[in-house]
Amino acid sequence: MLIQAQQSLPYVSDDRRAAPHPARAPARRGYWRRLLPLLALLACATRVPSFAQPLWNPDEGYLAVQARMLAHGGTLYESVVDRKPPLVPWLYEAVFAVFGSQSLTPLKWCAVAAQLVTAVLLASTARRRWGDGAGRTAGVLYLLISVGLNPEDAQAATFEVFMLPWTAAAVWCADRRRWGWCGAAVAGAFLVKQTGAAVLVPVAWTLWRCGAPRRDVLRCTAGVVLPVLAAACATDPAGFLFWTVTGSGAYASFTGSELHVLVRGLTNAAILAVACAGILPPVVRVLRIARTGRGELWLWLASSAVAVLAGFHFFGHYYLQLTPPLALLGTAALQILPRERLLDALLASACCCALFVGWGLLAPRPDLTHAQRVADAVRARTAPQEPVLVWGMHPETYWLANRPPASRFLTAGLLTNYSGGRDGAQVGERWAVPGTWPTFRTEFTTRPPALVVDDSRGGPYGVERVRGLRRMLVGYERVGEADGAVLYRPREPGS
């Protein structure tokens, strides 16, 4: 029966798919006129929790502080640094320039738009391969599973959410043999987050499989290389290379923290599996024997899985990269099974989605509450333009307090390697990003912070464990606490 269903499934050759018949154009416009409002409504509904909090995780806070620094004359990869490519910091800066920097609400709407674009591209890809119904299924399934992680990972307006439209666009363009645009989409994915380049694997497979001539390979290559070179030249080429590629060797290791990160990885994989409960059984049951899934989709999923493993940290938001290929593979499987299986899969996915949306609306945010309390203390003890140093892992404190950071290094992680969420191994000055401590000391000397906040709270990067910072605080005295964070001000002359 399965073989008969597979044989009866309408299949359109690559040549016919590349040139749709003009008579279908009016129906196509009607198709999207009906589908787009549904996907837009679903994209908004699934991301309602993102508007319930000022911000969801430290990455949003980091980006918000970076954007303010860039707006005040900072230079990316020089006086404003992070391990990420430039597109999302530039997006935050542009949105702040238009709407102001006091709220992330406009960026949350940008995240809704990014999810909608991803869903539309997946729907278009599925429709081209398997028909109108498959297009609707792929778009809806993607949006239902896209929030299937811890809310602080799934609801934040950060790198992975803005990377996914580019990866979906790369597959969409490859499917249509638009190789120059395909390469540009791969470059866009990389310039949002380095692991976005994993989509190059299914793109290369498609190039090889279709026997693309040399000129198409060159077009795709140019599409990848030229935007990356342009971004490097628009910032600082040496700094771009260091901060996005070569400067994170210690970060991409889990030596000494194996159990800690493996438990996190398995937990986040289990959470995503719950969100995908409606589509994983059809994929496992059908696509292991049927060939409808297409090799490039399996390669897309496999390369995305490798991207999740890269760096050995397994944060929940890394797993978002798996959701587009999972949605397409689930759609491919459901086209073979009886219609009632499709309805069951959609119902199960909708129920799981409701569970995760409810989690996002009801879950407490102790980290945010802590950062707000510390920010209140910082605001009470400093003037608006006085620089502040927050020694911790909550860069959002600068943004919430509306105070300029005293250093380009917005977290203790860059100076101790704790930013990988480690449990104590390979944490300290010797594991810092190379060259950061001399720069940090110079900044501290030339522009001393008006207030130092030790927000380590017993962490392995605490002041008592970092000799360089202890020396720098010799001229400071303890003046109080705020929700467990210790506050220091410069000593008065003669005291």
Side-chain angles (χ1 to χ4, degrees):
M1 180 179 294
L2 181 61
I3 301 300
Q4 290 175 349
Q6 183 182 355
Q7 290 173 344
S8 65
L9 189 69
Y11 175 77
V12 183
S13 69
D14 288 345
D15 292 337
R16 286 178 61 193
R17 288 183 303 175
H21 196 280
R24 295 184 61 187
R28 178 166 299 181
R29 286 196 295 270
Y31 176 84
W32 289 111
R33 192 163 56 243
R34 293 187 296 271
L35 182 57
L36 280 176
L38 171 64
L39 295 180
L41 180 62
L42 191 54
C44 293
T46 55
R47 296 197 68 82
V48 164
S50 70
F51 296 90
Q53 301 287 348
L55 51 76
W56 276 96
N57 66 24
D59 283 349
E60 286 183 318
Y62 203 113
L63 286 161
V65 178
Q66 277 189 306
R68 280 182 174 171
M69 295 170 71
L70 291 171
H72 287 85
T75 303
L76 203 56
Y77 305 124
E78 293 181 2
S79 58
V80 182
V81 298
D82 192 14
R83 291 185 173 101
K84 300 294 192 299
L87 282 193
V88 181
W90 284 343
L91 172 64
Y92 268 64
E93 181 188 11
V95 170
F96 280 2
V98 175
F99 297 100
S101 64
Q102 301 305 311
S103 171
L104 296 186
T105 298
L107 285 148
K108 298 174 190 291
W109 282 111
C110 290
V112 172
Q115 292 289 58
L116 176 59
V117 170
T118 305
V120 168
L121 289 168
L122 294 176
S124 179
T125 300
R127 185 189 185 215
R128 181 180 176 86
R129 292 172 178 235
W130 306 300
D132 289 356
R136 290 188 290 269
T137 300
V140 170
L141 278 178
Y142 168 72
L143 291 172
L144 291 176
I145 68 174
S146 66
V147 292
L149 288 163
N150 189 313
E152 70 179 44
D153 295 308
Q155 296 290 343
T158 52
F159 301 97
E160 286 78 11
V161 168
F162 295 115
M163 176 183 71
L164 296 183
W166 293 101
T167 61
V171 172
W172 187 92
C173 290
D175 199 48
R176 287 158 175 77
R177 313 301 187 248
R178 300 177 184 178
W179 297 115
W181 290 110
C182 178
V186 173
F190 171 81
L191 290 172
V192 173
K193 189 181 177 187
Q194 296 92 324
T195 54
V199 77
L200 187 60
V201 174
V203 166
W205 165 266
T206 306
L207 266 171
W208 173 80
R209 182 174 173 271
C210 73
R214 183 179 179 183
R215 65 177 180 275
D216 287 341
V217 176
L218 292 176
R219 285 190 188 123
C220 187
T221 303
V224 174
V225 172
L226 293 180
V228 175
L229 290 178
C233 293
T235 55
D236 170 58
F240 175 89
L241 179 64
F242 177 80
W243 283 103
T244 62
V245 181
T246 64
S248 301
Y251 179 85
S253 169
F254 70 157
T255 302
S257 300
E258 295 89 344
L259 182 61
H260 183 70
V261 297
L262 286 175
V263 169
R264 182 196 302 140
L266 292 174
T267 301
N268 286 320
I271 294 173
L272 182 60
V274 171
C276 297
I279 62 175
L280 289 180
V283 169
V284 173
R285 179 181 178 185
V286 175
L287 296 187
R288 61 189 174 87
I289 53 177
R291 301 180 65 182
T292 311
R294 303 295 296 275
E296 63 271 24
L297 298 185
W298 287 108
L299 281 174
W300 189 10
L301 179 63
S303 61
S304 298
V306 172
V308 172
L309 297 174
F312 306 106
H313 295 294
F314 308 114
F315 291 121
H317 47 87
Y318 291 8
Y319 289 75
L320 289 172
Q321 195 165 352
L322 300 173
T323 54
L326 280 173
L328 283 182
L329 287 168
T331 301
L334 291 168
Q335 300 316 298
I336 297 175
L337 294 172
R339 180 173 175 79
E340 54 267 24
R341 296 293 180 86
L342 170 61
L343 297 178
D344 290 344
L346 289 173
L347 179 60
S349 298
C351 290
C352 291
C353 178
L355 176 68
F356 283 100
V357 170
W359 183 8
L361 290 172
L362 300 176
R365 294 296 320 287
D367 285 348
L368 176 59
T369 301
H370 168 77
Q372 289 171 326
R373 290 173 179 169
V374 175
D376 290 342
V378 169
R379 211 167 30 246
R381 292 178 177 272
T382 57
Q385 298 306 316
E386 288 186 311
V388 173
L389 174 66
V390 179
W391 183 258
M393 301 305 299
H394 291 280
E396 63 268 29
T397 303
Y398 293 113
W399 180 70
L400 293 168
N402 197 19
R403 295 294 184 266
S407 172
R408 70 194 68 188
F409 309 116
L410 302 183
T411 70
L414 296 174
L415 294 157
T416 64
N417 197 42
Y418 185 73
S419 52
R422 300 181 183 279
D423 61 356
Q426 292 193 356
V427 173
E429 293 172 76
R430 62 177 295 196
W431 305 108
V433 175
T436 53
W437 272 94
T439 301
F440 182 52
R441 293 189 188 97
T442 300
E443 290 175 328
F444 200 97
T445 302
T446 58
R447 194 184 180 213
L451 187 72
V452 175
V453 180
D454 175 16
D455 197 22
S456 57
R457 294 180 289 164
Y461 58 94
V463 173
E464 67 281 359
R465 302 187 184 187
V466 182
R467 182 173 58 181
L469 184 61
R470 288 203 310 273
R471 291 175 176 174
M472 295 161 68
L473 290 178
V474 168
Y476 284 72
E477 61 181 350
R478 179 170 174 164
V479 293
E481 289 189 12
D483 200 38
V486 183
L487 311 179
Y488 297 88
R489 284 193 68 92
R491 296 181 186 276
E492 296 292 336
S495 64

